[in-house]
Amino acid sequence: PLLFFDIESTGLSIPTDCIIELSFVKVFPGGEHRVKTWKIKPWDYVKRCQHPIDPSASKVNGITDDMLVSCPTFFDVADEVAEWLEGSDLAGFNSSKFDLPMLAEEFERAALAGKRLNVNLHSPRMVDVQNIYHMMEPRNLRAAYRFYCGGEDFDNAHTAEADTVATFEVLKGQLDKYPDILKNDVESLSKYVGRK
């Protein structure tokens, strides 16, 4: 089986943040699939209390501390999560860099708190759909030039002059494509990309 998974968390720090929602879609070789989602009370094993959700994480995932008060902790659901993982390869979007390490961290915390589990997250094969997306739809200057400037490659890519001219052409193409969003002035463009 191939087990697709995604997590929502209290924040983006893998060693210190916790899973607050975990969802699995297990696809079997014949095409059958099963779905399981857990809401999880994030737990601070040292302080023995609920770990708070960073407000910026709540803004993204819509989950607040009070929504999880009566939910089980990861320690409580770890056995069931391990059963779902058993014998499966894994898939997700950006899961190799974030979701898988976060899941491993939660299992490690549960083990340190006394949960006996036989989970090996190193042996399953991993299909990170984001990596496929980036390989199939590259996000580099050559791809931007093709997208914004008429579908053709530019000559002499990776020479300073050609790359500089192509960058100028790409910006002009972006201004033409998004006239309601992008304004043709440096202050507006700088603010749009987050630099003041």
Side-chain angles (χ1 to χ4, degrees):
L2 184 58
L3 185 71
F4 291 82
F5 72 107
D6 187 65
I7 66 165
E8 300 301 331
S9 62
T10 58
L12 297 176
S13 173
I14 291 167
T16 59
D17 281 307
C18 305
I19 294 174
I20 56 177
E21 186 176 50
L22 173 62
S23 187
F24 286 161
V25 176
K26 192 169 194 173
V27 181
F28 294 88
E32 174 197 353
H33 70 275
R34 297 183 193 147
V35 179
K36 176 67 179 179
T37 300
W38 296 267
K39 292 277 194 203
I40 299 170
K41 177 172 26 179
W43 194 250
D44 185 322
Y45 293 92
V46 175
K47 296 178 182 175
R48 298 184 171 278
C49 63
Q50 186 169 332
H51 180 97
I53 302 172
D54 186 297
S56 61
S58 285
K59 198 178 224 182
V60 172
N61 59 41
I63 302 170
T64 59
D65 293 318
D66 58 319
M67 295 168 71
L68 303 173
V69 170
S70 61
C71 293
T73 65
F74 189 85
F75 186 93
D76 298 327
V77 300
D79 291 312
E80 187 180 10
V81 172
E83 284 177 31
W84 273 77
L85 288 163
E86 191 174 320
S88 296
D89 289 315
L90 303 173
F93 194 89
N94 191 34
S95 46
S96 332
K97 293 180 183 173
F98 183 74
D99 301 79
L100 187 60
M102 181 69 81
L103 185 59
E105 189 67 34
E106 284 285 11
F107 274 120
E108 183 63 27
R109 287 185 208 130
L112 291 172
K115 179 65 76 175
R116 291 186 171 193
L117 297 162
N118 186 17
V119 176
N120 181 352
L121 295 174
H122 297 287
S123 62
R125 289 173 287 198
M126 182 72 211
V127 178
D128 193 320
V129 176
Q130 183 185 52
N131 291 348
I132 294 170
Y133 170 55
H134 289 168
M135 292 169 77
M136 301 305 282
E137 300 293 336
R139 296 297 187 247
N140 55 33
L141 181 57
R142 177 170 276 170
Y145 188 85
R146 280 193 303 264
F147 184 80
Y148 290 107
C149 301
E152 297 180 21
D153 276 332
F154 61 96
D155 294 329
N156 299 321
H158 298 297
T159 65
E161 183 176 335
D163 287 359
T164 304
V165 170
T167 302
F168 171 58
E169 295 295 326
V170 167
L171 178 58
K172 289 192 311 187
Q174 290 171 328
L175 290 168
D176 290 342
K177 187 166 185 75
Y178 312 112
D180 296 337
I181 299 169
L182 300 177
K183 304 302 174 209
N184 190 5
D185 68 81
V186 174
E187 184 177 352
S188 173
L189 292 170
S190 177
K191 283 181 180 176
Y192 187 77
V193 297
R195 293 185 153 183
K196 303 207 176 156

Short mmCIF file of all heavy atoms in Angstrom, two decimals, residues 30-63:
data_model
loop_
_atom_site.label_atom_id
_atom_site.label_comp_id
_atom_site.label_asym_id
_atom_site.label_seq_id
_atom_site.Cartn_x
_atom_site.Cartn_y
_atom_site.Cartn_z
N GLY A 30 -5.02 -2.81 -5.23
CA GLY A 30 -6.21 -2.97 -6.07
C GLY A 30 -6.99 -1.69 -6.30
O GLY A 30 -7.98 -1.67 -7.02
N GLY A 31 -6.57 -0.60 -5.67
CA GLY A 31 -7.26 0.68 -5.85
C GLY A 31 -8.12 1.10 -4.67
O GLY A 31 -8.50 2.26 -4.56
N GLU A 32 -8.46 0.15 -3.80
CA GLU A 32 -9.23 0.50 -2.61
C GLU A 32 -8.43 1.48 -1.77
O GLU A 32 -7.20 1.42 -1.73
CB GLU A 32 -9.50 -0.77 -1.78
CG GLU A 32 -10.17 -0.51 -0.46
CD GLU A 32 -10.06 -1.68 0.52
OE1 GLU A 32 -9.59 -2.77 0.13
OE2 GLU A 32 -10.45 -1.49 1.68
N HIS A 33 -9.12 2.40 -1.11
CA HIS A 33 -8.41 3.31 -0.21
C HIS A 33 -9.23 3.56 1.04
O HIS A 33 -10.45 3.46 1.03
CB HIS A 33 -8.02 4.61 -0.92
CG HIS A 33 -9.18 5.50 -1.23
ND1 HIS A 33 -9.94 5.35 -2.36
CD2 HIS A 33 -9.70 6.56 -0.56
CE1 HIS A 33 -10.88 6.27 -2.37
NE2 HIS A 33 -10.77 7.01 -1.30
N ARG A 34 -8.51 3.84 2.11
CA ARG A 34 -9.12 4.14 3.40
C ARG A 34 -8.56 5.47 3.89
O ARG A 34 -7.40 5.77 3.67
CB ARG A 34 -8.82 3.05 4.41
CG ARG A 34 -9.38 1.71 4.03
CD ARG A 34 -9.12 0.67 5.10
NE ARG A 34 -9.40 -0.65 4.54
CZ ARG A 34 -8.78 -1.75 4.86
NH1 ARG A 34 -7.80 -1.72 5.77
NH2 ARG A 34 -9.09 -2.89 4.30
N VAL A 35 -9.39 6.21 4.61
CA VAL A 35 -9.00 7.53 5.11
C VAL A 35 -9.16 7.54 6.62
O VAL A 35 -10.15 7.05 7.16
CB VAL A 35 -9.88 8.64 4.49
CG1 VAL A 35 -9.49 10.00 5.03
CG2 VAL A 35 -9.80 8.61 2.97
N LYS A 36 -8.17 8.12 7.30
CA LYS A 36 -8.24 8.28 8.75
C LYS A 36 -7.61 9.62 9.12
O LYS A 36 -6.52 9.94 8.66
CB LYS A 36 -7.49 7.14 9.46
CG LYS A 36 -7.42 7.25 10.96
CD LYS A 36 -8.77 7.10 11.61
CE LYS A 36 -8.66 7.19 13.12
NZ LYS A 36 -9.92 7.07 13.80
N THR A 37 -8.30 10.40 9.95
CA THR A 37 -7.78 11.69 10.41
C THR A 37 -7.93 11.76 11.92
O THR A 37 -8.97 11.40 12.46
CB THR A 37 -8.54 12.85 9.74
OG1 THR A 37 -8.37 12.74 8.32
CG2 THR A 37 -8.01 14.19 10.20
N TRP A 38 -6.87 12.22 12.56
CA TRP A 38 -6.88 12.43 14.00
C TRP A 38 -6.69 13.92 14.30
O TRP A 38 -5.82 14.56 13.72
CB TRP A 38 -5.71 11.70 14.68
CG TRP A 38 -5.70 10.23 14.60
CD1 TRP A 38 -6.21 9.34 15.51
CD2 TRP A 38 -5.09 9.42 13.58
NE1 TRP A 38 -5.97 8.05 15.10
CE2 TRP A 38 -5.28 8.07 13.91
CE3 TRP A 38 -4.41 9.71 12.39
CZ2 TRP A 38 -4.82 7.02 13.14
CZ3 TRP A 38 -3.95 8.68 11.61
CH2 TRP A 38 -4.15 7.34 11.98
N LYS A 39 -7.48 14.45 15.21
CA LYS A 39 -7.19 15.74 15.86
C LYS A 39 -6.43 15.36 17.11
O LYS A 39 -6.85 14.46 17.86
CB LYS A 39 -8.46 16.49 16.24
CG LYS A 39 -9.26 16.98 15.06
CD LYS A 39 -8.73 18.28 14.54
CE LYS A 39 -9.76 18.89 13.59
NZ LYS A 39 -9.20 19.81 12.67
N ILE A 40 -5.33 16.03 17.36
CA ILE A 40 -4.42 15.62 18.44
C ILE A 40 -4.12 16.80 19.36
O ILE A 40 -3.74 17.88 18.89
CB ILE A 40 -3.11 15.05 17.85
CG1 ILE A 40 -3.43 13.81 16.99
CG2 ILE A 40 -2.10 14.74 18.93
CD1 ILE A 40 -2.28 13.31 16.16
N LYS A 41 -4.28 16.57 20.65
CA LYS A 41 -3.90 17.59 21.63
C LYS A 41 -2.38 17.61 21.71
O LYS A 41 -1.76 16.60 22.08
CB LYS A 41 -4.50 17.30 22.99
CG LYS A 41 -4.06 18.30 24.04
CD LYS A 41 -4.74 18.22 25.41
CE LYS A 41 -5.28 16.94 25.84
NZ LYS A 41 -5.88 16.97 27.17
N PRO A 42 -1.74 18.72 21.36
CA PRO A 42 -0.28 18.78 21.42
C PRO A 42 0.16 18.74 22.88
O PRO A 42 -0.38 19.46 23.71
CB PRO A 42 0.05 20.12 20.76
CG PRO A 42 -1.17 20.94 20.93
CD PRO A 42 -2.34 20.00 20.95
N TRP A 43 1.13 17.89 23.17
CA TRP A 43 1.47 17.65 24.56
C TRP A 43 2.94 17.96 24.83
O TRP A 43 3.83 17.52 24.11
CB TRP A 43 1.18 16.20 24.94
CG TRP A 43 1.19 15.98 26.40
CD1 TRP A 43 2.12 15.27 27.11
CD2 TRP A 43 0.23 16.45 27.34
NE1 TRP A 43 1.79 15.28 28.44
CE2 TRP A 43 0.63 16.00 28.61
CE3 TRP A 43 -0.93 17.22 27.23
CZ2 TRP A 43 -0.07 16.29 29.77
CZ3 TRP A 43 -1.64 17.51 28.38
CH2 TRP A 43 -1.21 17.04 29.63
N ASP A 44 3.16 18.72 25.91
CA ASP A 44 4.51 18.99 26.41
C ASP A 44 4.78 17.95 27.49
O ASP A 44 4.22 18.03 28.59
CB ASP A 44 4.58 20.41 26.97
CG ASP A 44 5.99 20.80 27.40
OD1 ASP A 44 6.71 19.93 27.95
OD2 ASP A 44 6.35 21.97 27.20
N TYR A 45 5.61 16.96 27.18
CA TYR A 45 5.87 15.85 28.09
C TYR A 45 6.66 16.28 29.32
O TYR A 45 6.57 15.66 30.37
CB TYR A 45 6.61 14.72 27.37
CG TYR A 45 5.77 14.05 26.31
CD1 TYR A 45 5.81 14.47 24.98
CD2 TYR A 45 4.95 12.98 26.63
CE1 TYR A 45 5.04 13.87 24.01
CE2 TYR A 45 4.17 12.35 25.66
CZ TYR A 45 4.22 12.81 24.35
OH TYR A 45 3.45 12.21 23.39
N VAL A 46 7.44 17.34 29.21
CA VAL A 46 8.23 17.84 30.34
C VAL A 46 7.34 18.61 31.32
O VAL A 46 7.34 18.35 32.52
CB VAL A 46 9.41 18.72 29.85
CG1 VAL A 46 10.15 19.33 31.02
CG2 VAL A 46 10.35 17.91 28.96
N LYS A 47 6.58 19.55 30.79
CA LYS A 47 5.72 20.36 31.65
C LYS A 47 4.39 19.68 31.98
O LYS A 47 3.64 20.16 32.83
CB LYS A 47 5.43 21.71 30.99
CG LYS A 47 6.67 22.57 30.81
CD LYS A 47 6.32 23.87 30.09
CE LYS A 47 7.55 24.72 29.87
NZ LYS A 47 7.24 25.93 29.07
N ARG A 48 4.11 18.58 31.28
CA ARG A 48 2.87 17.82 31.47
C ARG A 48 1.62 18.68 31.29
O ARG A 48 0.72 18.71 32.13
CB ARG A 48 2.84 17.13 32.83
CG ARG A 48 3.95 16.12 33.01
CD ARG A 48 3.81 15.39 34.33
NE ARG A 48 4.72 14.30 34.42
CZ ARG A 48 4.52 13.08 33.91
NH1 ARG A 48 3.44 12.82 33.25
NH2 ARG A 48 5.43 12.14 34.06
N CYS A 49 1.61 19.39 30.15
CA CYS A 49 0.46 20.23 29.83
C CYS A 49 0.35 20.38 28.31
O CYS A 49 1.25 19.99 27.58
CB CYS A 49 0.59 21.60 30.48
SG CYS A 49 2.00 22.56 29.89
N GLN A 50 -0.77 20.94 27.88
CA GLN A 50 -0.98 21.15 26.45
C GLN A 50 0.02 22.18 25.93
O GLN A 50 0.20 23.24 26.51
CB GLN A 50 -2.42 21.64 26.21
CG GLN A 50 -2.77 21.76 24.75
CD GLN A 50 -4.26 21.98 24.53
OE1 GLN A 50 -5.09 21.56 25.32
NE2 GLN A 50 -4.58 22.64 23.42
N HIS A 51 0.65 21.82 24.81
CA HIS A 51 1.60 22.71 24.14
C HIS A 51 0.80 23.74 23.35
O HIS A 51 -0.08 23.36 22.57
CB HIS A 51 2.50 21.89 23.22
CG HIS A 51 3.52 22.67 22.47
ND1 HIS A 51 4.81 22.79 22.89
CD2 HIS A 51 3.43 23.39 21.32
CE1 HIS A 51 5.49 23.53 22.02
NE2 HIS A 51 4.66 23.90 21.06
N PRO A 52 1.07 25.04 23.50
CA PRO A 52 0.28 26.04 22.79
C PRO A 52 0.58 26.08 21.29
O PRO A 52 1.70 25.82 20.86
CB PRO A 52 0.69 27.35 23.46
CG PRO A 52 2.04 27.10 24.03
CD PRO A 52 2.08 25.63 24.38
N ILE A 53 -0.44 26.44 20.52
CA ILE A 53 -0.29 26.60 19.07
C ILE A 53 0.17 28.03 18.80
O ILE A 53 -0.38 28.98 19.33
CB ILE A 53 -1.63 26.34 18.35
CG1 ILE A 53 -2.14 24.94 18.65
CG2 ILE A 53 -1.47 26.56 16.84
CD1 ILE A 53 -3.54 24.67 18.13
N ASP A 54 1.20 28.16 17.98
CA ASP A 54 1.67 29.48 17.58
C ASP A 54 0.53 30.17 16.82
O ASP A 54 -0.09 29.55 15.94
CB ASP A 54 2.89 29.34 16.68
CG ASP A 54 3.53 30.66 16.33
OD1 ASP A 54 2.86 31.47 15.66
OD2 ASP A 54 4.69 30.87 16.70
N PRO A 55 0.22 31.42 17.15
CA PRO A 55 -0.87 32.12 16.45
C PRO A 55 -0.72 32.14 14.93
O PRO A 55 -1.71 32.08 14.20
CB PRO A 55 -0.83 33.54 17.03
CG PRO A 55 -0.17 33.39 18.36
CD PRO A 55 0.80 32.25 18.21
N SER A 56 0.52 32.20 14.43
CA SER A 56 0.71 32.19 12.97
C SER A 56 0.32 30.84 12.38
O SER A 56 -0.17 30.76 11.26
CB SER A 56 2.14 32.56 12.60
OG SER A 56 3.05 31.64 13.14
N ALA A 57 0.52 29.75 13.13
CA ALA A 57 0.09 28.42 12.67
C ALA A 57 -1.43 28.34 12.66
O ALA A 57 -2.03 27.82 11.71
CB ALA A 57 0.69 27.33 13.54
N SER A 58 -2.07 28.85 13.71
CA SER A 58 -3.54 28.86 13.76
C SER A 58 -4.13 29.64 12.60
O SER A 58 -5.16 29.27 12.05
CB SER A 58 -4.03 29.48 15.07
OG SER A 58 -3.86 28.58 16.14
N LYS A 59 -3.46 30.71 12.22
CA LYS A 59 -3.93 31.53 11.11
C LYS A 59 -3.94 30.72 9.81
O LYS A 59 -4.83 30.88 8.98
CB LYS A 59 -3.01 32.74 10.96
CG LYS A 59 -3.58 33.87 10.18
CD LYS A 59 -2.57 35.01 10.15
CE LYS A 59 -3.28 36.31 10.39
NZ LYS A 59 -2.40 37.46 10.32
N VAL A 60 -2.97 29.83 9.66
CA VAL A 60 -2.87 29.01 8.45
C VAL A 60 -3.82 27.82 8.49
O VAL A 60 -4.55 27.56 7.54
CB VAL A 60 -1.42 28.51 8.24
CG1 VAL A 60 -1.34 27.50 7.11
CG2 VAL A 60 -0.49 29.68 7.98
N ASN A 61 -3.83 27.08 9.61
CA ASN A 61 -4.59 25.83 9.64
C ASN A 61 -5.98 25.95 10.27
O ASN A 61 -6.77 25.01 10.22
CB ASN A 61 -3.79 24.71 10.32
CG ASN A 61 -3.40 25.05 11.74
OD1 ASN A 61 -4.18 25.60 12.51
ND2 ASN A 61 -2.17 24.67 12.11
N GLY A 62 -6.29 27.10 10.88
CA GLY A 62 -7.61 27.31 11.46
C GLY A 62 -7.88 26.56 12.74
O GLY A 62 -9.01 26.53 13.22
N ILE A 63 -6.86 25.94 13.32
CA ILE A 63 -7.04 25.17 14.54
C ILE A 63 -6.53 26.00 15.72
O ILE A 63 -5.44 26.54 15.67
CB ILE A 63 -6.28 23.82 14.46
CG1 ILE A 63 -6.79 23.01 13.26
CG2 ILE A 63 -6.45 23.03 15.75
CD1 ILE A 63 -5.96 21.77 12.95
#
